[in-house]
Amino acid sequence: MALQLGDTVPNFTQASSEGEINFYDWAGDSWVVLFSHPADYTPVCTTELGTVASLQSEFQKRNVKTIALSVDDVESHKGWIGDINETQNTTVNYPILADGDRTVADLYGMIHPNSLNNLTVRSVFIIDPNKKLRLTITYPASTGRNFDEILRVIDSLQLTDYHQVATPANWQDGDDCVVVPSIPTEEAKQKFPKGVTEIKPYLRMTPQPNK
């Protein structure tokens, strides 16, 4: 059965470009972005892994670890990392899982036979420190992922885990937030001293509470 939001993600032990990884031990108390790609030495994937490398400081300040995956082997990964570093002007400093036996791909539902036969599709999983699945997105092979959007979602999740707000369409960190419907307006005005704007009884906005 496919993983669903809120599920505890399965643990695994698998080879990687940085040695054998036990996923739970490696993740520790961090958030994790796990993302799969169809194959090494492919053009779109090269730009994606380079982009994630260049964004490491952004992930780190959010307590996020990144880890990639394909069904190619460790030696292939290591050779390809050299190309990524050269062509994308960066340094890949996170592991790439070598899932040749498809252990992780099967656990996480990364094989979509009607799309890419036995190759892993372009999936993204955001996993919180409790090992709960918080987001999953699957992109077609021809479309590179938007990692600014992944960071935006992480900002939203980390905000809304601690404050009784939700984030509206196209929200960016620092923008106004939606007061969750479960809080009556008068209570919301006490809870959010920066102010509550009632547009409709069910649509109340407030400045981002942690800014």
Side-chain angles (χ1 to χ4, degrees):
M1 184 174 176
L3 283 172
Q4 298 182 335
L5 299 187
D7 287 352
T8 299
V9 300
N11 194 20
F12 58 81
T13 298
Q14 187 57 286
S16 85
S17 57
E18 297 185 357
E20 187 174 83
I21 284 179
N22 176 283
F23 180 64
Y24 278 17
D25 291 345
W26 175 83
D29 294 326
S30 298
W31 291 70
V32 173
V33 172
L34 167 62
F35 64 107
S36 57
H37 54 276
D40 294 353
Y41 297 101
T42 50
V44 174
C45 303
T46 299
T47 65
E48 289 184 320
L49 271 76
T51 295
V52 172
S54 70
L55 289 172
Q56 280 305 297
S57 63
E58 293 298 318
F59 286 114
Q60 288 166 5
K61 73 183 184 184
R62 293 166 171 83
N63 187 33
V64 179
K65 293 182 177 180
T66 59
I67 186 166
L69 174 148
S70 84
V71 298
D72 294 304
D73 62 27
V74 168
E75 290 309 308
S76 174
H77 287 348
K78 289 181 177 179
W80 183 38
I81 285 170
D83 282 4
I84 297 168
N85 293 343
E86 175 190 352
T87 64
Q88 305 304 303
N89 193 29
T90 190
T91 299
V92 174
N93 53 0
Y94 57 89
I96 307 174
L97 293 166
D99 196 38
D101 60 5
R102 294 167 172 73
T103 295
V104 183
D106 288 340
L107 284 172
Y108 283 73
M110 297 173 177
I111 304 288
H112 294 198
N114 292 327
S115 176
L116 280 175
N117 196 9
N118 287 321
L119 297 176
T120 44
V121 293
R122 206 180 297 283
S123 292
V124 182
F125 302 86
I126 296 178
I127 300 158
D128 71 18
N130 295 316
K131 311 300 183 291
K132 300 291 187 183
L133 180 63
R134 303 299 298 274
L135 171 139
T136 179
I137 309 176
T138 299
Y139 289 74
S142 57
T143 303
R145 283 164 280 207
N146 184 338
F147 288 97
D148 289 334
E149 168 66 1
I150 302 305
L151 288 167
R152 190 188 77 92
V153 172
I154 292 167
D155 285 339
S156 174
L157 289 169
Q158 293 182 346
L159 169 67
T160 59
D161 275 358
Y162 292 100
H163 300 277
Q164 290 180 295
V165 294
T167 54
N170 296 330
W171 174 87
Q172 298 289 334
D173 189 35
D175 290 352
D176 287 355
C177 301
V178 174
V179 178
V180 296
S182 60
I183 304 178
T185 297
E186 289 308 310
E187 181 182 337
K189 290 177 180 178
Q190 299 298 317
K191 185 177 288 291
F192 302 112
K194 295 178 183 178
V196 174
T197 302
E198 184 176 300
I199 300 167
K200 292 285 186 181
Y202 61 87
L203 178 57
R204 290 87 44 86
M205 305 298 294
T206 188
Q208 184 169 325
N210 64 346
K211 291 292 184 181

